[in-house]
Amino acid sequence: MKRPALLVIPCLLAGCVGGQSTPPPQVAYVEATQTQPATSETASRPPVPITVENPVPDPKARKWKSHEAKTASAVRKATQTALDADFEGVILNYVYQHGRRYRVVVDGPSEDWKEDADVTTLTLGQDDGSEPDIAIGGDPLWFSVDKIGSGIDETSMRAKRDKVRALQRGAYQTMITVKCFRRGARTSLRIGTGQRKYHFDLSCANSHGGNGYNPDVQFTYAHDQVVGTADPPRPVREFTPPVVADTRYTVEGPETWRPREWAAWNDGANTHVRPSPAVRSRPVPMLAAGSSFYLDPSSSEYVIAGLPSEIRFPWGETAVVVRRAP
């Protein structure tokens, strides 16, 4: 009676061995559900306190191999585009900061050397009234740069008095026009106005009369941002140091999003992802179905429920991928 049973067992084992060749199911990544941070949270596991041996991970310091490589990285970080600015109608509004480089796209002509391209006006505000120093480099042949005025009739007998009054009110402005005579041309422009230095990366549009160029560019300055009625004070929140249980994470992605400056860890219950300070946008992470996250209002970092092995942050056709070591 026992012999038939012995014959069945090898067959079952053979079936099990054959089943190992079946590939595991693939995880379908979908947009995670964003939730609101709770007022009080308790971790499902005992939290691990921060110690010298268990600190919050810092971005890895990059060692440069050459003067040129470090310089190129600094220029990329300093360059501001429309993605970093705001618009007031069609006016591109940059926040001025010393050392930054501002990209401006000007209208292209219908044909090379045609003068039918629209002009771009750069409005440089609230300076000491000195005559601006203008230096155009790169490929200056295809661009013209002129000062058209400062909002004061320079031919008037009262011009000097009006200028002094404008300076006292902080309303003195320097206006520079830029025009291009060849599609696709690029050059650099530097303007010194006494108190400030402006660095521009000028590029000519590949079309004439389109919507992709900047007809007007202006600047907001640090003291402009505090003018007006002050907001009521917000309640002071006690700062609670983050709890770190596991820092074995890797971050990969396009160099544009500076993955080396990201940090990731978990507290035993939730996963925390801190993007690079240079990354201002916060895309919805792609996670397994049913996952959720929220943005910490005090640090703008992601807090993702659970301990997923992989988190994707999509940007167009690319993505930054955060992976937890097994």
Side-chain angles (χ1 to χ4, degrees), residues 16 31 62 69 79 90 97 99 143 157 208 217 235 253-254 261 296:
C16 294
E31 289 189 355
R62 183 170 182 176
T79 300
V90 298
Q97 181 175 325
F143 292 85
M157 297 179 62
H208 170 62
V217 180
E261 299 178 11
D296 189 327

Side-chain angles (χ1 to χ4, degrees), residues 15-192:
C16 294
V17 173
Q20 291 180 354
S21 61
T22 304
Q26 298 292 325
V27 177
Y29 290 94
V30 297
E31 289 189 355
T33 302
Q34 184 169 0
T35 61
Q36 295 298 323
T39 54
S40 62
E41 298 179 10
T42 56
S44 60
R45 303 182 188 180
V48 180
I50 297 176
T51 63
V52 175
E53 295 80 13
N54 188 41
V56 175
D58 292 326
K60 297 180 180 179
R62 183 170 182 176
K63 294 183 179 180
W64 302 100
K65 296 183 178 179
S66 68
H67 169 91
E68 292 78 3
K70 187 172 183 178
T71 300
S73 175
V75 171
R76 286 195 299 269
K77 291 180 180 180
T79 300
Q80 301 284 291
T81 70
L83 301 177
D84 306 301
D86 298 319
F87 280 88
E88 296 181 15
V90 298
I91 302 175
L92 176 60
N93 184 37
Y94 280 119
V95 176
Y96 177 84
Q97 181 175 325
H98 183 71
R100 280 182 175 175
R101 186 181 185 183
Y102 304 97
R103 186 180 181 194
V104 177
V105 179
V106 300
D107 187 27
S110 57
E111 296 180 9
D112 288 355
W113 289 119
K114 279 284 187 81
E115 299 185 2
D116 55 355
D118 191 11
V119 297
T120 292
T121 302
L122 311 176
T123 302
L124 316 178
Q126 299 169 333
D127 218 308
D128 60 3
S130 58
E131 191 69 17
D133 296 322
I134 300 174
I136 184 168
D139 190 2
L141 178 66
W142 303 104
F143 292 85
S144 67
V145 180
D146 299 289
K147 177 187 174 183
I148 62 172
S150 55
I152 296 175
D153 184 4
E154 303 288 350
T155 63
S156 171
M157 297 179 62
R158 299 189 298 271
K160 186 175 181 179
R161 185 196 64 184
D162 293 343
K163 182 176 181 179
V164 171
R165 290 180 175 177
L167 288 171
Q168 292 174 344
R169 298 195 311 270
Y172 188 84
Q173 296 181 330
T174 300
M175 302 179 70
I176 306 292
T177 60
V178 180
K179 193 168 185 175
C180 178
F181 302 97
R182 183 183 181 183
R183 296 184 184 183
R186 297 190 66 174
T187 193
S188 59
L189 173 65
R190 297 172 182 85
I191 302 175

Side-chain angles (χ1 to χ4, degrees), residues 245-264:
D246 186 1
T247 62
R248 299 173 302 159
Y249 286 82
T250 61
V251 183
E252 300 176 353
E255 189 63 29
T256 307
W257 304 109
R258 304 177 188 175
R260 294 183 182 87
E261 299 178 11
W262 290 49

